[in-house]
Amino acid sequence: MPYRQTIQELEAATLTNAREGLSEKEAAARLQRFGGNELEKKKEESLLKKVAEQFNDPMILILILGAVISIFLHEVMDSVIIVAVITINALIGVFQEWKAEKALHALEKMTAMKAVVKRDGQLKQIDAAELVLGDLVFLEAGNFVPADLRLIETVHLKVEESSLTGESVPVDKDASARYPKDQTLPLADQKNMAFSSTIVLDGNAAGLVVATGMDSEIGKIAKLLQHEEKLLTPLQRRLAELSKVLGALSVIICAAIFVIAVIQKRDLFEMLLTSISLAVAAIPEGLPAVVTISLALGVQKMSDHHAIARKLHAVETLGQVSVICTDKTGTLTQNRMTVVAYYLNGKIQSVSQKVTERRLKEGFYLCGNAKLDAEDVIGDPTEVALMRWALDNGVDAAQIIRQFPRVAEIPFDSRRKRMSTVHQTGLEKIVYVKGALESVLPLCTHLWQDGRRVELTTPMRRQIEEAAAQMAGEALRVLVLATRTVASLDESQFETRLCFIGMAGMIDPPKEGVKEAIALAHKAGIDVVMITGDHPETALAIGRQLGIAQSLSQVLTSVQMQDLSDDQLAQACQHIRIVARATPQDKVRIVKAYRLDEKIVAMTGDGVNDAPSLKQADVGIAMGSGTEVSRQTSDLILTDDNFATIISAVEEGRNIYLNIQKAVLYLLSCNLGEITTLFLAIVLMPVAPAPLSAIQILWINLVTDAFPALSLAAEPQDPYIMDQKPRAATVLNGLYIGTISLVAFKFGSAYDVRTAHTMTFMVLSIAQLFHSLNLRSLDHSIFRVGIFRNKLLLATFVIGVALQVMVVNLPIFQLILKTAALDWVCWGVVFGLSASLILINEISKLFNPVNHNLHSDSRNS
């Protein structure tokens, strides 16, 4: 426990020197012996294992079985096509995962940390990965802490530890802090320690490395995450269930048709071939390729919009998300405190009005320890905000430091809730005091008003308190500024008989586009839950601004959560929209509560402490600027750290899921149509020949089914995708296709058997092509969504119809597929029956409640 050790004990334990550090030779030897200061990454899977994983799917296994059966039946072309589909599917999946890993590695390189160390008595900058136990490291404001350090020197050191502890308030560090040997403290209370991945906000320090890599505190959390079980996504679970159903259905159909054929004394070999062909036809060969291609296209689109999907199926899961649990700071807000209002001369004013009172802006600039470097202001977030505001209002940084050099300071501490700085100005010294209202206002006897000093009366005090309360009610952090002049550097005089100047109100403002993105999420039926460490009132004020919550009844605190059982929490989560004062453990419980209520949950996070909840969620979303542990744990990484990107990704995921749903629905409708046609014909027409031959079934399954399904997978963005929740689709069209195919068979039987077979074959295949147009939208008229938007599907439709006309009229296909030329009457019946599918679906869509809601909304607007 390094925080309990003295510096001398630490030197002995780490075999180092607290003044000179290690030698380069010793550091190199330790690096060689113990390894670098890096977290262990999950061992990357070999290419062979990645390929093998692509075949670990019930649907793929059934297809392989279908290919084997096809070879047994001497249907070589059928088996070749199935094997080709499986191979292409595997290659696309492996390629997309490789691309995501490559993007992640690039992101890690961009965020690689540096460290300043002393070796051989000389300061030098090295890669943080090269740090070893016993290194002497130096920190200053703006640095990431590169390893776990026992601090040996600190000067006004403040560290932001939220990535590790979840506590957003900066922690004051003190190298001189001492603890009894038997005392065990949580990380947040170890004042003489600085931990890897945390950020230095203010001051500077030196410390000895006491733990690196997997031995550091973040490494210990990373170890816990390495053995988490891999959960299937909703689509994977549903496809696995579908595979079982289709597998069982194939066996039942094969057996049933063969038994019926025996009873009806049909040609047994022909019926065996037909029943096995139909069983194979019941399995949608194109489905795995449709799913993989849809997901791959979605991953590519999302990467163009600042989101890296680490796994293909993360995209699909996003499309079904019903709850998004999100951090506030840095995701909903800019993580940049900003002055948005100030109080001066008895009035609250917006920052759009420039400050004319010199003392207010100069005082807030001088009374703080933020630093202005070449690029930006660094330091405590509130002091940074005040300094930026002063600069924006015309304060000349170089001139004011020369004009008012600092000669004394009483630092801020959490007990006093204020700080004071003293500056020389001519023969006098001017004191500026900055702090909380309750800490500064009681020390004031006067008020600066309209350029002069007046006595502070009781009504004036009340007016100031009411203004502060009003600003605080709008979630602003309020700081007061007061002043006085002194003749000497007697500290007892610095904070007495002060003159109140004014107040500044700050907030971490919402990111641009976040409010609109949340409104879009609500419109799409997605609940947005803000999880924050803020006070409930502050959290609610932000929630109101963003449209997340409207009243305190929608806010749950960490303390309140502790009194709820898991079932009670799941019940409460139905109306809770903000969780305040939340701990990392609370986040995990919230995710589990929503999942208990059968919600699909997305969780955002950037710290090590977020990793367990990211892992627990259906979709873990990490910030690109976050810790490596959170990125490695996540399913999706936002390179721009913006909530609006999540909603864009959800929209893309919904479109992908909808396209997959359309393709699955299309393939199942087609297969059901084939099964209905053959099964009913054999049962209801025992003396008639089977309406389809085995070769015709396989042609429909591989030509008419697969290509339109692939075209539906590439369907452009549905303009109504975020207007309502995704809904379940039906396969009633399959029964209708089977019915009209039997009508065609009956009509063709008046000519001859071959014409009957051909008409059945044509209606079954061309009706399916018309049905692919219906599935452009499950809810809206195809004319409304734009009939020419999916040019690939139109091309597939035209080519498909042309192929069917060709197989009827060309002698070579007549021989292979056993078709006969049709006259104009027969073609009229074929196209009339097939096109009726469009008419039936367009009529049904008129009565769709979704359309009524849209019409109602447009009338109301």
Side-chain angles (χ1 to χ4, degrees), residues 250-263 275 679 682-683:
S250 299
V251 173
I252 293 168
I253 289 167
C254 187
I257 290 181
F258 187 69
V259 168
I260 292 169
V262 170
I263 295 170
S275 60
F679 191 79
I682 290 172
V683 172

Side-chain angles (χ1 to χ4, degrees), residues 555-741:
V555 181
L556 182 71
T557 66
S558 179
V559 173
Q560 291 169 333
M561 274 183 66
Q562 291 171 16
D563 297 330
L564 300 177
S565 68
D566 290 343
D567 288 334
Q568 288 171 328
L569 182 58
Q571 187 71 24
C573 282
Q574 293 179 11
H575 67 274
I576 292 300
R577 294 297 172 264
I578 294 174
V579 182
R581 291 291 194 231
T583 67
Q585 293 75 21
D586 294 336
K587 292 182 180 182
V588 175
R589 278 199 74 197
I590 287 289
V591 172
K592 286 182 176 178
Y594 277 114
R595 295 193 69 185
L596 192 65
D597 198 29
E598 297 187 350
K599 304 285 188 184
I600 307 295
V601 186
M603 167 66 81
T604 73
D606 58 1
V608 177
N609 62 302
D610 294 322
S613 56
L614 292 178
K615 195 80 178 178
Q616 187 68 40
D618 294 289
V619 186
I621 304 172
M623 305 298 115
S625 63
T627 58
E628 186 179 342
V629 173
S630 65
R631 292 199 300 263
Q632 290 287 348
T633 308
S634 66
D635 302 296
L636 191 77
I637 299 168
L638 304 185
T639 58
D640 64 352
D641 294 7
N642 197 334
F643 181 85
T645 302
I646 300 175
I647 302 302
S648 297
V650 168
E651 191 168 0
E652 188 60 49
R654 279 203 170 186
N655 203 65
I656 289 163
Y657 186 74
L658 183 62
N659 286 353
I660 292 171
Q661 189 181 34
K662 290 173 185 176
V664 170
L665 185 56
Y666 175 74
L667 290 168
L668 293 181
S669 296
C670 294
N671 292 357
L672 184 58
E674 295 160 27
I675 293 166
T676 303
T677 303
L678 195 62
F679 191 79
L680 291 181
I682 290 172
V683 172
L684 301 177
M685 306 176 187
V687 294
L692 291 168
S693 65
I695 191 69
Q696 287 172 342
I697 293 170
L698 294 172
W699 172 273
I700 292 170
N701 212 43
L702 293 169
V703 178
T704 316
D705 288 7
F707 293 111
L710 289 170
S711 300
L712 284 168
E715 181 72 25
Q717 186 81 39
D718 187 325
Y720 306 103
I721 194 72
M722 298 296 274
D723 285 345
Q724 67 271 328
K725 299 175 184 178
R727 65 183 185 86
T730 64
V731 290
L732 293 177
N733 280 287
L735 298 175
Y736 183 74
I737 290 170
T739 303
I740 59 176
S741 297

Side-chain angles (χ1 to χ4, degrees), residues 116-129:
V116 175
V117 299
K118 186 184 264 191
R119 288 183 179 170
D120 291 323
Q122 301 292 318
L123 288 176
K124 62 182 297 188
Q125 188 178 62
I126 63 171
D127 285 337

Side-chain angles (χ1 to χ4, degrees), residues 53-66 82 85-87 89-90 243 283 285 287-289 292:
E53 276 191 356
Q54 303 299 319
F55 293 90
N56 188 23
D57 184 303
M59 183 68 73
I60 298 293
L61 297 177
I62 289 177
L63 287 182
I64 292 170
L65 179 62
I82 294 175
V85 165
I86 293 170
T87 305
N89 175 69
S243 300
I283 303 164
E285 285 92 337
L287 184 55
T292 303

Side-chain angles (χ1 to χ4, degrees), residues 336-355 360-361 364 382 385-386 388-390 392-393 466-481 500-509 545:
R336 179 181 171 120
M337 290 295 285
T338 305
V339 177
V340 295
Y342 64 94
Y343 177 85
L344 183 68
N345 295 329
K347 288 187 285 188
I348 297 174
Q349 302 184 58
S350 165
V351 286
S352 59
Q353 298 170 278
K354 291 295 182 183
V355 183
L360 185 66
K361 56 189 178 184
F364 272 131
T382 55
L386 290 167
R388 285 189 184 125
W389 177 58
D392 290 343
N393 279 277
E466 288 172 358
Q470 183 181 334
M471 293 166 78
E474 294 172 4
L476 302 186
R477 183 178 183 188
V478 180
L479 286 180
V480 171
L481 183 72
F500 177 92
I501 300 175
M503 297 182 288
M506 290 159 284
I507 197 169
D508 181 7
Q545 278 188 36

Side-chain angles (χ1 to χ4, degrees), residues 85-163:
V85 165
I86 293 170
T87 305
I88 291 168
N89 175 69
L91 291 175
I92 291 171
V94 170
F95 177 71
Q96 285 298 334
E97 288 186 18
W98 171 80
K99 274 184 71 177
E101 284 175 8
K102 189 177 174 186
L104 189 58
H105 291 326
L107 193 62
E108 285 166 6
K109 280 184 184 174
M110 280 170 31
T111 56
M113 282 192 287
K114 300 288 184 182
V116 175
V117 299
K118 186 184 264 191
R119 288 183 179 170
D120 291 323
Q122 301 292 318
L123 288 176
K124 62 182 297 188
Q125 188 178 62
I126 63 171
D127 285 337
E130 296 174 13
L131 285 175
V132 294
L133 190 72
D135 256 324
L136 178 57
V137 176
F138 292 85
L139 303 172
E140 61 181 21
N143 290 163
F144 274 90
V145 179
D148 286 1
L149 307 178
R150 168 64 161 84
L151 299 170
I152 57 175
E153 290 177 15
T154 51
V155 179
H156 300 309
L157 185 67
K158 283 188 178 180
V159 180
E160 201 267 287
E161 296 185 335
S162 63
S163 66

